Amino acid sequence: MKDSKYIGISVNKLRKDAGMTLKELSEKTGLSQGFLSKFERGQTTIAVDSLLQIAAALGTSIDQLLAQKGTEESPSKASHIIHRSYENSVLYMENSFINYQITNGFLGMDVFPKLTVLLPTPAPHETPLFSHTGQEFVYVLEGVLTLQIESHTYELFPGDTAHFKSNTKHNWWNNSNRNTTILTIHTPNVFANDEPSAPAQKNKNGDFFVD
């Protein structure tokens, strides 16, 4: 997540403007007071799902929390369109998945692209399968991706792609001994939702979905 220090300051201001204590924000989000205190002071990063919880508790949206303040700090239109590879930053991490932000303009867009690095993980004895609203496109950049869709399992190699409706039960993992890197494009984009109360969740492969 980019500029965690600024976002923490923004949360601190919104919380105080709402007359809410750290304890009350902690109770509303399930996040510890210690963590929230460090985050507001810019001393720690935060996962996107936790930021969604904070936004909902403060009665705002995640794009408002991520918005830069003032003309001098506000990114130009071009900076929203163009994203350089050296700007890539960790969006969130979960288990053996590291998800990178690869665009400045995913807020308010219809699709959500991200780069995911899957660390080597032995195949589970019983693979949990998930389904949710939308579609997803997967492009393997490096390594080998094991993709299960319904009862079928596929091994995808660099250059291979998969495109399917997300309401089809599916999951993926890295059953090799080297990292696997994939580009995924998801729709709908949960970050385009203007309703802060929408319950965004993540499944085991790091996908966001809304019930």
Side-chain angles (χ1 to χ4, degrees):
M1 179 73 69
K2 291 184 181 298
D3 207 353
S4 294
K5 182 176 181 179
Y6 175 83
I7 301 169
I9 294 173
S10 178
V11 168
N12 179 271
K13 182 179 185 304
L14 287 171
R15 177 178 62 78
K16 290 181 176 179
D17 288 347
M20 187 183 300
T21 65
L22 268 178
K23 181 180 179 181
E24 290 171 332
L25 183 59
S26 173
E27 291 172 348
K28 287 178 177 291
T29 60
L31 303 172
S32 72
Q33 292 186 59
F35 171 80
L36 289 170
S37 177
K38 288 184 178 180
F39 171 61
E40 289 188 356
R41 288 178 288 159
Q43 296 179 351
T44 186
T45 56
I46 190 169
V48 175
D49 53 345
S50 297
L51 199 57
L52 283 166
Q53 291 175 306
I54 291 174
L58 294 175
T60 186
S61 59
I62 192 169
D63 56 333
Q64 291 175 316
L65 290 180
L66 292 173
Q68 295 294 322
K69 181 180 179 181
T71 305
E72 298 172 343
E73 296 181 3
S74 298
S76 66
K77 183 176 180 181
S79 69
H80 275 293
I81 297 173
I82 305 301
H83 181 94
R84 305 296 183 182
S85 60
Y86 57 76
E87 296 180 293
N88 290 354
S89 59
V90 175
L91 191 60
Y92 60 91
M93 300 174 62
E94 183 171 353
N95 300 325
S96 58
F97 299 92
I98 306 174
N99 297 278
Y100 290 89
Q101 178 181 333
I102 58 172
T103 173
N104 295 326
F106 65 90
L107 296 174
M109 291 295 188
D110 295 331
V111 298
F112 173 45
K114 71 176 188 290
L115 193 70
T116 301
V117 175
L118 295 81
L119 305 179
T121 305
H125 295 295
E126 293 185 7
T127 306
L129 299 180
F130 302 92
S131 62
H132 49 94
T133 303
Q135 297 182 27
E136 48 201 283
F137 174 82
V138 183
Y139 183 94
V140 180
L141 296 169
E142 179 183 21
V144 182
L145 177 72
T146 301
L147 171 66
Q148 183 171 344
I149 300 179
E150 300 288 358
S151 60
H152 301 283
T153 302
Y154 308 91
E155 299 291 330
L156 277 64
F157 300 90
D160 291 346
T161 67
H163 189 190
F164 53 92
K165 292 184 177 180
S166 303
N167 59 8
T168 304
K169 291 185 177 181
H170 62 281
N171 202 347
W172 59 60
W173 64 94
N174 177 4
N175 196 32
S176 70
N177 58 5
R178 294 186 178 182
N179 288 351
T180 295
T181 304
I182 61 175
L183 169 68
T184 62
I185 300 175
H186 303 264
T187 181
N189 177 6
V190 62
F191 297 108
N193 194 331
D194 293 329
E195 296 296 332
S197 59
Q201 305 175 48
K202 276 189 303 194
N203 63 27
K204 293 298 183 180
N205 63 13
D207 294 337
F208 277 100
F209 64 98
V210 179
D211 285 338

